[in-house]
């Protein structure tokens, strides 16, 4: 993964740290876990999507195990969340913004990695989304709650947009750092707007009519 352009690689590392931090904070809120449990779930959040992608395309060992910076940053994020969880809850907005950076970068890198492995357009977009949301989905499943990607405002949708734009630019022969950053920026903007204005993906009509809790999202 370090073969990515320097700016994208830096964002990738930032996103890894943010996912570890935010994933561990979610684990702290969702379950009573010791330091090992919190850090492990933070690392799963940060690295799980990339693991799934690499296993599916047969790229072993997973790329994030070949560069110590990835798993180290994920573990550090988890440790910080465990130690400072009370204080970090006061600055959730900056953490959510960093999380959006991770979502955006992972979607772009996941899609390009799949294309480099020889996959077609649709599977590459899908693996871009899996890279972005897979870790959080595994974490939520482990703590026994509905995955955030299925119940939280715009999350998978921005990843889908970022991955699709990435694949489109590659197919058009114009992919490069500006195109990658543009795709990541589109994903980031949609995610941040979703957070800011409480936007959600469409829900079933009967759910809206009854005024029940959200059963769908993404």
């Amino acid at each position: 993964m370090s073969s990515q352009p320097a700016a994208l690689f830096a964002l990738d590392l930032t996103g890894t740290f943010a996912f570890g931090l935010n994933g561990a904070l979610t684990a702290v809120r969702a379950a009573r876990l010791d330091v090992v449990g919190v850090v492990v779930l933070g690392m799963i959040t940060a690295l799980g999507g990339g693991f799934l992608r690499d296993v599916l395309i047969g790229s072993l060992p997973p790329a994030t195990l070949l560069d110590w910076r990835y798993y180290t940053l994920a573990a550090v994020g988890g440790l910080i969340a465990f130690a400072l969880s009370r204080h970090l809850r006061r600055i959730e907005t900056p953490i959510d913004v960093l999380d959006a950076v991770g979502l955006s970068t992972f979607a772009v890198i996941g899609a390009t990695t799949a294309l480099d492995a020889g996959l077609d357009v649709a599977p590459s977009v899908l693996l871009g989304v899996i890279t972005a949301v897979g870790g959080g989905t595994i974490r939520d499943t482990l703590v026994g709650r509905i995955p955030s990607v299925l119940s939280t405002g715009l999350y998978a949708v921005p990843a889908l947009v970022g991955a699709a734009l990435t694949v489109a630019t590659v197919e058009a022969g114009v992919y490069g750092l500006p195109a990658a950053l543009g795709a990541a920026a589109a994903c980031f903007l949609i995610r941040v707007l979703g957070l800011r204005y409480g936007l959600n993906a469409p829900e079933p009509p009967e759910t809206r009519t009854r005024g029940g809790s959200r059963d769908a999202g993404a």
Side-chain angles (χ1 to χ4, degrees):
M1 298 180 92
S2 58
S3 61
Q4 292 286 339
L8 203 59
F9 181 57
L11 287 175
D12 195 22
L13 293 176
T14 301
T16 299
F17 171 78
F19 267 31
L21 182 67
N22 207 10
L25 279 175
T26 301
V28 169
R29 299 187 190 106
R32 289 181 174 274
L33 301 173
D34 61 14
V35 61
V36 175
V38 171
V39 172
V40 166
L41 286 179
M43 293 183 71
I44 285 173
T45 306
L47 307 176
F51 271 41
L52 287 174
R53 178 201 63 223
D54 290 347
V55 168
L56 289 172
I57 65 177
S59 177
L60 299 173
T64 48
L65 292 182
L66 299 176
D67 189 329
W68 63 270
R69 287 170 288 191
Y70 285 98
Y71 51 80
T72 300
L73 283 171
V76 169
L79 284 170
I80 290 175
F82 178 82
L84 303 176
S85 59
R86 289 185 180 179
H87 304 288
L88 292 177
R89 290 177 187 179
R90 302 172 187 169
I91 55 170
E92 285 191 7
T93 297
I95 293 174
D96 284 340
V97 169
L98 284 177
D99 187 76
V101 170
L103 182 80
S104 307
T105 310
F106 285 9
V108 171
I109 291 177
T112 56
T113 301
L115 287 170
D116 289 343
L119 272 66
D120 206 348
V121 169
S124 295
V125 173
L126 177 61
L127 283 181
V129 176
I130 287 174
T131 304
V133 307
T137 301
I138 297 171
R139 174 206 62 212
D140 291 341
T141 301
L142 289 175
V143 297
R145 56 181 251 175
I146 297 175
S148 298
V149 68
L150 301 178
S151 60
T152 300
L154 302 180
Y155 202 73
V157 170
L160 178 63
V161 171
L165 287 174
T166 301
V167 171
T169 58
V170 173
E171 291 296 304
V174 296
Y175 182 77
L177 181 59
L181 293 178
C187 176
F188 176 83
L189 181 61
I190 295 171
R191 175 58 179 157
V192 169
L193 288 175
L195 288 169
R196 175 64 179 83
Y197 296 105
L199 302 177
N200 299 296
E203 299 175 348
E206 59 270 22
T207 301
R208 295 196 300 268
T209 300
R210 291 195 303 264
S213 60
R214 284 199 307 255
D215 296 319

